[in-house]
Amino acid sequence: MGDQGQETEDSAVQDFLQILEEHRKNCERQGKYVEAEIAKNRLEELRQHEENRRREAMRSRQIAERLGVEEAHMLEFQQFNALWDKRMAEFEQKSADLEEAMKERHGTELMEYIRNAQSEPLKQPKFSKELLNLRSIQQTLAKQKEYAEAHKIKLKADNLEAFELEKMRNQHQMRLSNVVEKFKSKQTAELGALRKRVQTGREEQKKQRQLDLERLLQRYQNVKSELESQQNIERIRAEKYMNYHLSGSK
């Protein structure tokens, strides 16, 4: 309806200019030069006014078209950021949940592993040759009723046995600590691998977001360039039209 109304108005103005032009020509032929001068001046005023009106209308319309493209782009850009912010937030939440679940599982598995390791019985003690030899001497002296000497050897053997048993317990505890640390290292490696996968996924998301953004901006530039080209063509055609129809030089 707007375009049809504009066309009707343009046609009416053109008809009026044509009538006024015919009036000027008639006055000229009839020697009514004063009236012809008035008609000529009026024509020039109306033509200039009409040119200005058309240019302003076209300028306003083209500005509205460019603003429409800008607003559409800003809306798309806002939607793009909202979508990607939501997607990346969901990724971070899921990653945090996975890490928390793995840490909880590791804690449970570690306690179970330590409990099982501590419940293993100590191996049968393997005493040194020196201690075995002292026990043999102790028994021999006892059989020979050399109790005083047997007592001395027994005290010496008891001290050596206590030392060797303590050493064995320390070695057992060291082995236990080593296997626990090895198990914990395995868990640390598993957690590190998860974090590495998460970081890889995070970088892939950032890369994809940048690629999508570049495509969005390129689409905007394409639409903007196409609109500018169309508007330039429209301005050139409008100038040609006004020069031909409104200049009065034809």
Side-chain angles (χ1 to χ4, degrees):
M1 290 297 292
D3 292 341
Q4 291 178 354
Q6 185 63 50
E7 290 175 2
T8 301
E9 182 180 353
D10 291 346
S11 177
V13 171
Q14 187 61 34
D15 290 344
F16 180 72
L17 290 173
Q18 188 173 352
I19 293 170
L20 192 56
E21 175 65 17
E22 289 296 327
H23 174 67
R24 183 193 64 78
K25 290 179 179 179
N26 288 334
C27 290
E28 181 183 316
R29 285 193 295 268
Q30 296 172 13
K32 298 178 180 179
Y33 299 125
V34 174
E35 293 184 13
E37 179 67 20
I38 294 173
K40 184 190 76 168
N41 292 337
R42 182 58 177 159
L43 271 170
E44 289 176 354
E45 291 175 2
L46 289 175
R47 283 168 179 155
Q48 187 61 48
H49 175 77
E50 181 62 12
E51 286 181 10
N52 292 338
R53 185 189 67 80
R54 286 171 178 262
R55 288 192 182 99
E56 181 59 27
M58 180 173 61
R59 189 183 74 85
S60 298
R61 186 177 68 258
Q62 289 187 345
I63 289 175
E65 289 173 348
R66 291 195 294 271
L67 287 175
V69 169
E70 292 288 342
E71 290 174 359
H73 170 66
M74 288 305 300
L75 177 60
E76 185 179 14
F77 184 69
Q78 290 171 359
Q79 292 173 340
F80 171 88
N81 281 329
L83 175 64
W84 268 104
D85 288 347
K86 181 174 180 291
R87 186 179 299 174
M88 296 181 80
E90 289 174 348
F91 174 84
E92 293 299 332
Q93 184 59 54
K94 183 178 180 181
S95 300
D97 292 343
L98 286 173
E99 181 168 330
E100 185 62 27
M102 179 174 286
K103 287 179 178 179
E104 290 181 3
R105 175 170 60 82
H106 281 176
T108 301
E109 290 176 348
L110 180 61
M111 288 189 294
E112 182 67 20
Y113 187 83
I114 293 174
R115 185 163 52 250
N116 291 337
Q118 290 176 339
S119 64
E120 292 182 3
L122 289 172
K123 295 180 179 179
Q124 183 68 26
K126 187 176 181 181
F127 296 112
S128 66
K129 289 183 179 180
E130 180 183 1
L131 176 57
L132 295 176
N133 186 51
L134 285 175
R135 291 302 186 193
S136 177
I137 293 173
Q138 170 191 329
Q139 292 175 2
T140 299
L141 289 172
K143 289 179 180 180
Q144 294 174 353
K145 297 183 177 57
E146 298 286 341
Y147 298 123
E149 289 299 321
H151 179 68
K152 292 179 182 180
I153 296 299
K154 181 178 182 301
L155 291 177
K156 185 177 180 179
D158 288 346
N159 289 333
L160 182 58
E161 181 176 328
F163 171 79
E164 291 187 1
L165 285 174
E166 182 63 22
K167 182 179 179 180
M168 291 177 191
R169 281 191 291 270
N170 289 337
Q171 289 175 341
H172 175 76
Q173 188 61 40
M174 183 66 69
R175 284 194 298 271
L176 177 62
S177 296
N178 288 339
V179 295
V180 169
E181 286 302 317
K182 186 176 180 180
F183 187 79
K184 290 167 68 175
S185 296
K186 180 181 177 182
Q187 290 184 329
T188 300
E190 185 181 8
L191 183 59
L194 173 63
R195 288 172 174 169
K196 186 176 181 179
R197 291 195 300 273
V198 168
Q199 182 61 26
T200 298
R202 184 180 292 115
E203 293 300 326
E204 288 176 351
Q205 276 204 333
K206 290 180 179 178
K207 182 178 179 181
Q208 188 61 51
R209 179 172 185 165
Q210 183 62 31
L211 289 174
D212 289 353
L213 176 59
E214 290 174 2
R215 281 195 287 266
L216 183 149
L217 295 176
Q218 187 59 54
R219 285 197 305 271
Y220 164 66
Q221 289 299 329
N222 292 342
V223 171
K224 186 178 178 182
S225 297
E226 178 64 22
L227 178 62
E228 289 175 354
S229 177
Q230 291 175 357
Q231 290 186 344
N232 285 333
I233 292 172
E234 182 183 21
R235 284 192 292 270
I236 292 171
R237 288 176 177 173
E239 289 298 326
K240 288 182 178 180
Y241 176 87
M242 287 186 291
N243 288 337
Y244 182 75
H245 292 282
L246 301 180
S247 66
S249 60
K250 57 181 180 176

